[in-house]
Amino acid sequence: MVKTQVDPASLTVEDKLKALFRLQITDSKIDKFVVLRGELPLEVKDLEDELAGLQTRIQKIKDEVQSKDAEILLKKNEIKESELLIAKYKEQQMQVRNNREYESISKELEFQMLEIELCQKRIKEFSLEVAGKNDIINTAQATFDERSKDLENKNNELSEIINETQKEENELTEKSKELELIIEPRLLYAYKRIRGNARNGLAVVAVQRDACGGCFSKIPPQRQLDIKTHKKIIVCEYCGRILVDGDMIESVNE
């Protein structure tokens, strides 16, 4: 267990290097869990966003359909009103006393019949629009259902991985936080900056076969000797990673 009460400033360079290397080992193990999850978290997020967009679109079109249905109902009511007026005018036409009254009623009848034709035309147009929008809704709903199943499968897959590794990952994360407490801020900042810029997340690497364990560039003998003495923090002049010697790996793993 890491002793978090240690004062980072009181550590020797060798102790600092060991703490950094332990932190690197711990963070690399955490990285493996991230790799294990792969693109699943991003895929889940993308599917959730897509479903939210589809749901919004479907609801918007449903509102448009509802509005068109209301207009169709309005036109049907207008037709009924015109039919009632036509019946009324026909009855009045039977009781006219002169041609003037007859022509006046005839014009009203003609107007109401035109109104019915216009309403029927509008109903047909609105009905075609509704049918088209319903087709869009059905297609979008089918896509929504398909993507929902995909999301469920991805979530199940992700949950399975997380359930299998969560305990160990939490322990490693806690260990990483504890190790960070015994590393002075300046070094910790440098470590995180290097680690963030490295593709494989390696900020601290061991010298292996006379070369940097990160970029595999050859390290001069004198520089290797300086690394072995543990008197100062030395970084690779090519990739900028912090270098430790092979003996330290063994001491850390003991």
Side-chain angles (χ1 to χ4, degrees):
M1 178 65 71
V2 178
K3 296 180 179 180
T4 57
Q5 69 270 23
V6 174
D7 180 9
S10 68
L11 296 178
T12 64
V13 173
E14 182 175 358
D15 289 335
K16 292 176 182 179
L17 286 169
K18 285 182 178 180
L20 280 170
F21 194 61
R22 287 192 180 99
L23 179 60
Q24 178 65 77
I25 292 172
T26 303
D27 286 344
S28 292
K29 289 179 180 178
I30 295 172
D31 289 343
K32 289 181 180 179
F33 292 121
V34 175
V35 171
L36 184 63
R37 290 194 289 271
E39 298 295 321
L40 276 174
L42 289 176
E43 290 174 6
V44 166
K45 181 64 168 61
D46 287 343
L47 282 169
E48 288 174 341
D49 291 343
E50 184 180 356
L51 286 171
L54 281 169
Q55 197 168 30
T56 300
R57 186 185 180 206
I58 289 170
Q59 187 56 54
K60 181 182 178 182
I61 300 173
K62 282 183 176 180
D63 291 342
E64 292 173 357
V65 167
Q66 188 175 7
S67 176
K68 289 298 176 184
D69 284 339
E71 291 186 54
I72 289 173
L73 181 61
L74 179 64
K75 292 302 176 185
K76 286 181 177 179
N77 288 334
E78 288 179 6
I79 288 174
K80 288 180 181 180
E81 290 176 6
S82 291
E83 288 174 342
L84 289 174
L85 287 173
I86 287 172
K88 175 184 174 183
Y89 291 142
K90 282 184 176 180
E91 185 179 344
Q92 290 179 352
Q93 201 173 39
M94 300 295 292
Q95 301 173 1
V96 296
R97 290 171 294 182
N98 52 57
N99 289 337
R100 183 178 177 183
E101 288 182 4
Y102 185 87
E103 289 177 2
S104 176
I105 294 174
S106 295
K107 287 181 181 179
E108 289 295 333
L109 281 169
E110 184 180 353
F111 176 78
Q112 293 304 323
M113 289 168 63
L114 287 172
E115 280 291 301
I116 289 174
E117 288 180 12
L118 182 60
C119 286
Q120 289 173 337
K121 182 182 178 182
R122 289 286 182 266
I123 289 172
K124 186 177 180 180
E125 290 173 353
F126 295 154
S127 296
L128 286 173
E129 286 186 48
V130 168
K133 290 181 184 298
N134 281 329
D135 286 342
I136 295 173
I137 290 173
N138 292 335
T139 300
Q141 188 63 53
T143 302
F144 183 89
D145 294 340
E146 183 181 347
R147 293 292 185 272
S148 294
K149 290 179 181 178
D150 290 340
L151 178 60
E152 183 180 359
N153 292 335
K154 294 291 182 184
N155 269 324
N156 289 339
E157 189 178 349
L158 182 59
S159 296
E160 187 176 340
I161 293 173
I162 290 175
N163 289 337
E164 290 176 355
T165 62
Q166 193 66 61
K167 182 180 178 182
E168 186 177 355
E169 188 174 355
N170 288 343
E171 290 173 353
L172 287 169
T173 300
E174 187 61 30
K175 182 178 179 182
S176 177
K177 291 178 181 178
E178 291 176 350
L179 283 165
E180 287 183 1
L181 292 175
I182 64 172
I183 299 173
E184 56 186 300
R186 177 182 61 84
L187 269 180
L188 184 60
Y189 173 80
Y191 165 82
K192 290 187 174 182
R193 177 179 56 79
I194 298 168
R195 180 169 149 75
N197 292 330
R199 280 187 176 182
N200 54 10
L202 293 177
V204 184
V205 295
V207 177
Q208 299 174 339
R209 297 180 182 178
D210 302 326
C212 169
C215 67
F216 310 111
S217 299
K218 285 293 181 181
I219 300 173
Q222 182 57 49
R223 198 163 183 80
Q224 289 188 51
L225 183 61
D226 292 338
I227 294 169
K228 284 181 178 292
T229 60
H230 309 150
K231 297 298 182 183
K232 58 182 178 179
I233 306 292
I234 297 176
V235 300
C236 175
E237 59 185 10
Y238 297 100
C239 67
R241 291 180 173 90
I242 299 169
L243 297 169
V244 296
D245 66 289
D247 292 340
M248 182 169 291
I249 298 177
E250 295 178 6
S251 65
V252 166
N253 291 331
E254 289 176 352

